[in-house]
């Protein structure tokens, strides 16, 4: 890897927009993809951008989600962390072949296991620390509160570098190394090197009690930010006519370093790079519940998806079946312009289905949680006129209820009927279903997908600077 100073800050450059046919893309394939995912019970799109030859050819957001709204990316955060590592390696701040422990000399006396002491930066970057199972819960129990210490004090069962295991403290350690070596937080370090040049605005990244961005998850950014990261890697580190990231690093980060063939799903069996998964077509940044930057070198294309999806393999299958042929220089139809206009109109009108308006007034007054209601922290609910008040973790959230529509312009949106309320936490993938039982005075809450970080409901949003 070459070394050198941090790149100079370039003006923010967002992705150009063109029609699909200008880039040799068949709009019929995008339409077919939308039809397919709408029929999948385990897939709910929130944002979509399709790029070819560096330009956006189709994009849409499903209200109450929108293009400027940050979205919790879950493990797509890992790929941003790996990119920070790439910059740190290029600047000579971090050595891939140095032991992880060497960046935390204060832990030297605490870490006695020889395998832990032999764990290199490249091993944790590739999820190959030698542990056979996820260690995050055990690492968090370290009495010091230091996840790196907790992780390094857990003896690996195999030699580092020989065994793949998806293990959050590996990425946490990568993030901590970059933060230690640079003397900056991840966002601060990435701002002039990656975020500003790519046109990324304010982002929020969940931090732990030590003040570190956790690295393995917690980044809230827009669908276009995800697309831009994918495009940067597709272009081998080039952006807006200049080089941001080492081409050698991009190649190294996106090739397979670890055997994942035992995974039950086809698109998770093809190997793992430095915080990127190999796919049957290209490679990807991949986050829980269907957050993706799909990088397709053969098609010179990127597909960015933010969603709430439990069947992510089915979502990828729909991309391969419908989008991939449309991105592979198909013969365009004679009525391409009309089809593209219809696609634009379809995407512009996209929204999540609101709760059907059954008529009648919302039941007024207070409700207590039924047995087994989620989340356990939601201790009471009141309906006052056309508003619902959620009492959670000692705080009150007062929300307008939309009837046959979504109400709310902030990070929460609500749609409801006399017996049901849906609350969308629109800076995350998550939706809470609330069923009201007027006869018993109880409510029953159920997550469509449970948050993997479980803060108070008022904190289920981007931790943007300045927010309480």
């Amino acid at each position: 890897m070459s070394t050198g100073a941090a790149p100079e800050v370039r003006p923010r450059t967002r992705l150009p927009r063109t029609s699909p046919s200008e880039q040799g893309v068949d709009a019929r394939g995008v339409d077919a993809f939308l039809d397919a995912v709408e029929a999948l019970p385990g897939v709910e799109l929130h944002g979509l951008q399709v790029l070819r030859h560096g330009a956006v050819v189709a994009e849409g957001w499903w209200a109450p989600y929108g293009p400027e709204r940050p979205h919790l990316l879950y493990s797509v955060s890992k790929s941003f962390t790996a990119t920070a590592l790439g910059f740190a390696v290029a600047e000579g701040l971090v050595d891939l072949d140095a032991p992880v422990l060497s960046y935390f000399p204060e832990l030297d006396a605490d870490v006695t296991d020889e395998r832990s002491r032999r764990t290199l930066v490249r091993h944790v970057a590739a999820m190959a620390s030698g542990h056979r199972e996820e260690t995050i819960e055990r690492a968090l129990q370290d009495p010091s509160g230091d996840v790196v210490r907790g992780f390094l004090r857990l003896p690996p069962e195999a030699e580092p570098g020989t065994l793949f295991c998806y293990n959050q403290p590996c990425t946490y350690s990568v993030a901590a190394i970059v933060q230690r070596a640079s003397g900056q937080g991840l966002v601060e370090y990435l701002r002039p090197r990656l975020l500003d040049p790519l046109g990324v605005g304010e982002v929020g990244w969940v931090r732990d009690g030590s003040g570190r961005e956790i690295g393995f998850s917690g980044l809230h950014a827009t669908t276009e930010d995800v697309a831009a990261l994918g495009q940067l890697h597709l272009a081998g580190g080039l952006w807006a006519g200049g080089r941001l990231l080492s081409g050698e690093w991009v190649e190294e980060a996106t090739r397979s370093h670890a055997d994942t063939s035992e995974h039950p799903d086809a698109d998770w069996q093809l190997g793992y790079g430095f915080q990127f998964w190999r796919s049957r077509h290209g490679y990807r940044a991949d986050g829980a519940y269907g957050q993706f930057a799909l990088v397709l070198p053969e098609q010179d294309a990127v597909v960015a998806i933010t969603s709430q999806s439990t069947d992510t393999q089915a979502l990828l299958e729909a991309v391969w079946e419908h989008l991939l042929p449309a991105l592979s220089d198909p013969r365009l139809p004679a009525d391409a312009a009309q089809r593209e206009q219809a696609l634009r109109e379809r995407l512009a009108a996209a929204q999540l289905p609101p709760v059907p308006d059954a008529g009648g007034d919302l039941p007024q007054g207070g409700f207590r949680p039924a047995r087994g209601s989620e989340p356990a922290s939601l201790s009471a609910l009141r309906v006052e006129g056309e508003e619902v008040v959620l009492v959670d973790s000692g705080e009150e959230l007062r929300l307008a209820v939309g009837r046959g529509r979504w109400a709310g312009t902030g990070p929460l949106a609500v749609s409801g009927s006399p017996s049901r309320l849906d609350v969308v936490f629109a800076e995350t993938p998550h939706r809470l279903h609330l069923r009201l039982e007027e006869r018993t005075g109880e409510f029953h809450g159920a997550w469509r997908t449970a948050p993997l970080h479980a803060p108070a409901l008022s904190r289920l949003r981007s931790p943007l600077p300045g927010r309480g």
Side-chain angles (χ1 to χ4, degrees), residues 139 172 187 193 292 317 325 337 353 374 391 454 463:
Y172 183 97
V187 172
R193 294 163 175 82
F292 290 125
E317 296 284 356
E374 298 176 318
V391 183

Side-chain angles (χ1 to χ4, degrees), residues 14-263:
R14 295 310 264 167
L15 296 164
R17 269 70 174 170
T18 69
S19 68
S21 57
E22 286 182 81
Q23 306 300 331
V25 176
D26 191 343
R28 293 176 298 180
V30 183
D31 250 331
F33 169 74
L34 297 175
D35 289 340
V37 296
E38 286 176 3
L40 290 171
V43 174
E44 176 186 282
L45 292 183
H46 294 164
L48 171 70
Q49 283 192 315
V50 181
L51 283 62
R52 191 156 197 240
H53 305 324
V56 178
V57 299
E59 60 185 337
W61 287 265
W62 280 253
Y65 293 87
E68 301 303 320
R69 190 181 294 281
H71 197 282
L72 173 56
L73 302 180
Y74 280 119
S75 287
V76 170
S77 310
K78 291 180 169 71
S79 300
F80 281 87
T81 298
T83 305
L85 177 62
F87 287 119
V89 168
E91 293 167 22
L93 299 175
V94 177
D95 180 354
L96 287 175
D97 292 310
V100 172
L101 183 59
S102 67
Y103 292 92
F104 307 96
E106 72 277 11
L107 303 179
D108 187 74
D110 298 333
V111 180
T112 57
D113 181 81
E114 286 303 315
R115 284 176 173 165
S116 290
R117 296 179 69 88
R118 287 197 297 272
T119 303
L120 306 180
V121 176
R122 68 169 59 252
H123 296 150
V124 291
M127 296 287 191
S129 63
H131 295 91
R132 294 190 180 276
E133 59 184 26
E134 171 68 71
T135 64
I136 185 63
E137 292 302 324
R138 287 183 288 160
L140 286 169
Q141 292 171 6
D142 190 86
S144 70
D146 184 344
V147 174
V148 174
R149 182 182 187 273
F151 171 58
L152 291 177
R153 284 173 54 82
L154 295 171
E157 293 82 6
E159 187 65 23
T162 65
L163 177 70
F164 172 81
C165 175
Y166 200 71
N167 190 7
Q168 312 303 334
C170 285
T171 321
Y172 183 97
S173 297
V174 171
I177 288 167
V178 172
Q179 292 174 81
R180 174 65 65 90
S182 69
Q184 297 177 296
L186 283 182
V187 172
E188 184 184 6
Y189 182 69
L190 285 173
R191 176 56 63 191
R193 294 163 175 82
L194 180 75
L195 304 181
D196 279 347
L198 265 55
V200 176
E202 278 196 316
V203 298
W205 204 323
V206 172
R207 298 169 183 262
D208 67 5
S210 72
R212 290 173 177 157
E213 291 109 331
I214 62 176
F216 59 82
S217 186
L219 177 62
H220 295 68
T222 68
T223 314
E224 186 160 353
D225 299 336
V226 175
L229 182 75
Q231 181 60 39
L232 175 68
H233 283 77
L234 176 66
L238 298 175
W239 185 266
R243 177 162 297 284
L244 288 184
L245 190 61
S246 160
E248 183 183 3
W249 173 264
V250 172
E251 183 177 349
E252 187 75 359
T254 61
R255 72 175 179 88
S256 177
H257 291 272
D259 180 7
T260 63
S261 58
E262 294 186 1
H263 198 284

Side-chain angles (χ1 to χ4, degrees), residues 206 220 375 377-379 389-399 410-413 423-428 432 447 451 453-464 466-468:
V206 172
H220 295 68
S377 58
L378 183 56
S379 60
V389 179
L390 305 180
V391 183
D392 178 86
S393 303
E395 300 179 329
E396 290 194 353
L397 289 173
R398 181 176 294 272
L399 308 169
L412 290 89
V423 183
V424 167
F425 295 82
E427 293 179 358
T428 80
L432 181 63
W447 290 110
H453 316 299
L457 294 184
S458 64
R459 300 291 186 269
L460 201 53
R461 60 182 185 176
S462 175
L464 287 169
R467 281 186 171 177

Side-chain angles (χ1 to χ4, degrees), residues 25 50-55 230-231 234 283 293-304 323-324 327-328:
V25 176
V50 181
L51 283 62
R52 191 156 197 240
H53 305 324
Q231 181 60 39
L234 176 66
Y283 57 89
L294 308 178
V295 182
L296 307 170
E298 289 189 14
Q299 289 73 30
D300 192 25
V302 172
V303 179
L323 282 184
L324 207 65
L327 295 166
S328 302

